[in-house]
Amino acid sequence: MAQKWNDAPEVATHTNLPEVYFPAPALAAPYHAHGESLGSIPLNPFSQSKHMTTLIESPKSFYPSPNSIQNYDLPSTEQHQRQTSRRICRCSFIVLVLSVLVTALSITVIGLAAGTGVETNRANNAESKLASQPIIDHGCSKNPDSVTGTQYTSDFYDRSTFKIFCNSDAPNPPLQSFFVGTFDDCIDACASYSAYTSGNFPDVSSSSNFTCSGVSFIPDWTNRTTALSVNAPGNCYLKPGPQKSTGLTHPSAEGPAVHAAIISSS
């Protein structure tokens, strides 16, 4: 027989039972914790009882907490910045010192090189001027015909006067030989030799063998390198008397130039 709409169950109003009730499932065996049954444990998972605290308590982590003394003693941001700035300043100071030293050494080397170059140029210029034939040979290389027969009076000693003969060689073995700067210096040396001989050797001062009466000068040997190449003992040779213009010899054109000067009283 079909049920009518009014035959459906209705909510009971005369009882305290819930509308829907789910009985607890039966366990195969009773669970005992600390001597008590499961039924005595509250069902509320958020209960503050000691039973649930024991069950849900998680193991403590072995990692140290941020405030633990086991953490590394890392510097603060400000301290790290100060240390970094200090390292940068120290490195900058070292780089600055090295830069200054390198700059000073560079300036020193450049200065030495420049000074050496200047001195070398001066020496070369002086040697070039000294090696200039018109200066060192009294003009014999430039105008031998016009210079030959002219006289030269020494500014020193007894102010002796000598007559110059270009491209000529005074005779007799030399009394002494040495290096001088110019032909005029060679003539002055001859005058000096005669002046000092009469004072130092009065007994022989009248002998022509102990006085300088003429000179032979070789301008090419004023250059020390050239003189060493031929093992020359000098470029100026003091000659004893007698000296006469007719006794002069003329050296070969193939050899170095030689110029002579003899005392005018000879």
Side-chain angles (χ1 to χ4, degrees), residues 92-258:
S92 300
F93 178 74
I94 294 174
V95 172
L96 177 62
V97 172
L98 292 177
S99 300
V100 171
L101 291 176
V102 171
T103 302
L105 290 175
S106 300
I107 293 174
T108 302
V109 171
I110 293 173
L112 290 175
T116 303
V118 170
E119 293 301 325
T120 301
N121 289 333
R122 287 180 178 177
N124 292 336
N125 293 335
E127 185 175 358
S128 299
K129 291 179 180 180
L130 188 62
S132 178
Q133 298 289 57
I135 296 176
I136 67 174
D137 63 5
H138 203 85
C140 281
S141 60
K142 186 176 182 180
N143 298 305
D145 294 336
S146 62
V147 174
T148 297
T150 60
Q151 292 185 341
Y152 171 81
T153 301
S154 176
D155 293 330
F156 308 99
Y157 316 112
D158 293 337
R159 298 183 61 84
S160 301
T161 300
F162 294 79
K163 186 176 290 187
I164 296 174
F165 297 90
C166 297
N167 299 318
S168 300
D169 187 14
N172 302 330
L175 297 170
Q176 190 171 355
S177 64
F178 42 83
F179 289 96
V180 295
T182 64
F183 191 10
D184 295 351
D185 293 338
C186 186
I187 299 174
D188 290 338
C190 182
S192 172
Y193 187 90
S194 297
Y196 281 105
T197 299
S198 60
N200 294 332
F201 306 98
D203 295 336
V204 296
S205 61
S206 59
S207 174
S208 60
N209 292 332
F210 288 90
T211 57
C212 181
S213 299
V215 297
S216 293
F217 177 73
I218 303 175
D220 287 350
W221 293 349
T222 304
N223 187 303
R224 183 178 297 273
T225 303
T226 304
L228 288 173
S229 66
V230 295
N231 199 25
N235 64 346
C236 176
Y237 299 84
L238 306 185
K239 301 293 186 69
Q243 295 289 337
K244 295 184 178 295
S245 58
T246 56
L248 298 176
T249 61
H250 301 283
S252 173
E254 297 179 356
V258 181

Side-chain angles (χ1 to χ4, degrees), residues 58-88:
S58 61
K60 294 183 178 180
S61 172
F62 62 88
Y63 293 103
S65 65
N67 297 325
S68 173
I69 61 174
Q70 299 178 19
N71 287 339
Y72 294 105
D73 189 12
L74 297 177
S76 63
T77 302
E78 182 179 356
Q79 183 179 3
H80 176 70
Q81 292 178 351
R82 288 199 302 269
Q83 293 177 353
T84 304
S85 177
R86 189 178 300 109
R87 287 195 296 269
I88 293 175

